[in-house]
Amino acid sequence: MSAPPTGANPSVYAPPTAFNIPQSALSTPVIPPPTPKQSPCTTPNNTIYINNLNEKIKLPALRKALSTIFEQYGEILDIIVQDNFRMRGQAFVVFKEQESAINAIKGVQGFALQGKPMVIQYARTKSDAIAIIDGSIEEHKRQRLEAKEKRAKEPPTKKFKSSSNSSLHPGSSNIPGASMYHFGHQVPALGNIPDEYLPPNNILFLQNMPNDITQLILTSLFGQYSGFKEVRSIHPAKGIAFVEFDSEPQAMMAKEALSNHLIAPDHKLKITYAKK
């Protein structure tokens, strides 16, 4: 059973089984939180922003889990979780009192929900629920609309285009941007395919490894994660390898934990899903 968050009442805290989270998740190792892309918001707010949530948790179960954990710190006005790509792995919890938000961050920061420690900070903007209470909802909506219109005027993000060389044969990897094939697995062209365009599966494709990497090192690194099966098709000279897990969720856990792992000086491990 997972320990309750610091500062929570153990008699009230419900174990993950109450959240309809699979039992297998209880035995998975805790995955270190990611390095923040920007400095956290430290200005106290009634609303807290949570990221690094496990994206495999269904929204109803996630909302219930967050409610059970955070209601111990005060009255909750709203819990915002969305199923769109931009909001995956994130949530907002709106408290009636600011003191509740302050205590919740202190008490729950780093608490692992289904193997991933929550990263919590104050929200950068006021929530609708609070704007309604303090009478500023109209101004709040106006500012939000202006921000939306400003984003719409920004240059669109360049979309990924697949290679037109779809008839390439194995061994044709000397062509710039072409795919390589190793032991039946298609290797995406290096630096060409963003992670989000690769569908999850149980085999991970590793890149940017030192040329003295060994199978033993990778086995020790990935073997600590549940479902690890084997290291396959390692090519030290190319700095690539494949690692197989029993299931897609287990591979996803390891990928999220070890992406950008400093496997050697000047070598941050790049991990994507293998193309089958």
Side-chain angles (χ1 to χ4, degrees), residues 19 33 44 96 116 128 155 159 166-167 193 205 209 227 232 234 244 246 251 273:
F19 308 153
K96 184 176 182 180
K116 295 190 67 176
D128 285 359
K159 294 183 178 180
S166 58
S167 60
I193 303 179
F205 173 56
M209 295 185 296
R232 303 172 58 178
I234 181 171
E244 183 174 1
D246 288 331
Y273 296 106

Side-chain angles (χ1 to χ4, degrees), residues 17-258:
T17 50
F19 308 153
N20 295 321
I21 297 174
Q23 284 290 322
S24 59
L26 303 183
S27 59
T28 55
V30 173
I31 299 173
T35 302
K37 294 182 179 179
Q38 57 181 326
S39 59
C41 178
T42 57
T43 305
N45 192 330
N46 294 58
T47 304
I48 60 174
Y49 165 66
I50 309 161
N51 70 332
N52 200 45
L53 293 168
N54 195 307
E55 297 174 10
K56 297 297 267 185
I57 304 177
K58 300 298 183 182
L59 293 191
L62 177 59
R63 187 176 284 104
K64 182 179 180 182
L66 295 176
S67 176
T68 304
I69 292 171
F70 286 103
E71 66 185 4
Q72 302 167 65
Y73 296 92
E75 183 179 346
I76 295 174
L77 299 179
D78 196 10
I79 295 178
I80 303 162
V81 291
Q82 298 178 18
D83 199 21
N84 59 59
F85 178 79
R86 189 174 65 87
M87 284 295 295
R88 282 169 56 187
Q90 304 168 70
F92 292 89
V93 176
V94 186
F95 288 97
K96 184 176 182 180
E97 303 293 338
Q98 190 176 103
E99 188 69 21
S100 299
I102 294 172
N103 292 332
I105 291 180
K106 291 178 181 178
V108 188
Q109 186 73 266
F111 174 66
L113 181 61
Q114 196 169 355
K116 295 190 67 176
M118 289 185 277
V119 179
I120 313 172
Q121 61 177 283
Y122 297 108
R124 295 182 183 275
T125 58
K126 185 188 302 184
S127 68
D128 285 359
I130 298 300
I132 291 173
I133 291 176
D134 65 19
S136 64
I137 185 63
E138 294 303 322
E139 175 65 15
H140 179 66
K141 287 182 177 180
R142 185 186 64 78
Q143 292 176 353
R144 187 169 58 195
L145 180 60
E146 288 178 353
K148 183 178 180 180
E149 291 174 347
K150 182 179 178 180
R151 287 195 302 269
K153 294 178 181 178
E154 294 176 352
T157 303
K158 186 177 180 180
K159 294 183 178 180
F160 164 72
K161 294 182 180 180
S162 60
S163 172
S164 58
N165 299 316
S166 58
S167 60
L168 291 173
H169 297 287
S172 62
S173 58
N174 59 320
I175 302 175
S179 296
M180 299 181 292
Y181 291 80
H182 293 288
F183 295 85
H185 300 300
Q186 184 182 4
V187 181
L190 300 182
N192 192 38
I193 303 179
D195 286 359
E196 59 265 30
Y197 290 97
L198 297 172
N201 64 77
N202 67 314
I203 301 176
L204 302 177
F205 173 56
L206 315 184
Q207 303 175 61
N208 196 38
M209 295 185 296
N211 56 18
D212 60 349
I213 194 72
T214 66
Q215 185 162 349
L216 179 60
I217 292 174
L218 292 179
T219 298
S220 299
L221 185 62
F222 285 87
Q224 61 183 312
Y225 295 94
S226 177
F228 170 77
K229 194 171 182 180
E230 63 176 332
V231 175
R232 303 172 58 178
S233 310
I234 181 171
H235 295 267
K238 296 180 181 293
I240 64 173
F242 293 91
V243 177
E244 183 174 1
F245 283 81
D246 288 331
S247 67
E248 174 191 312
Q250 291 167 331
M252 181 176 291
M253 286 283 191
K255 176 180 179 295
E256 292 177 345
L258 297 175

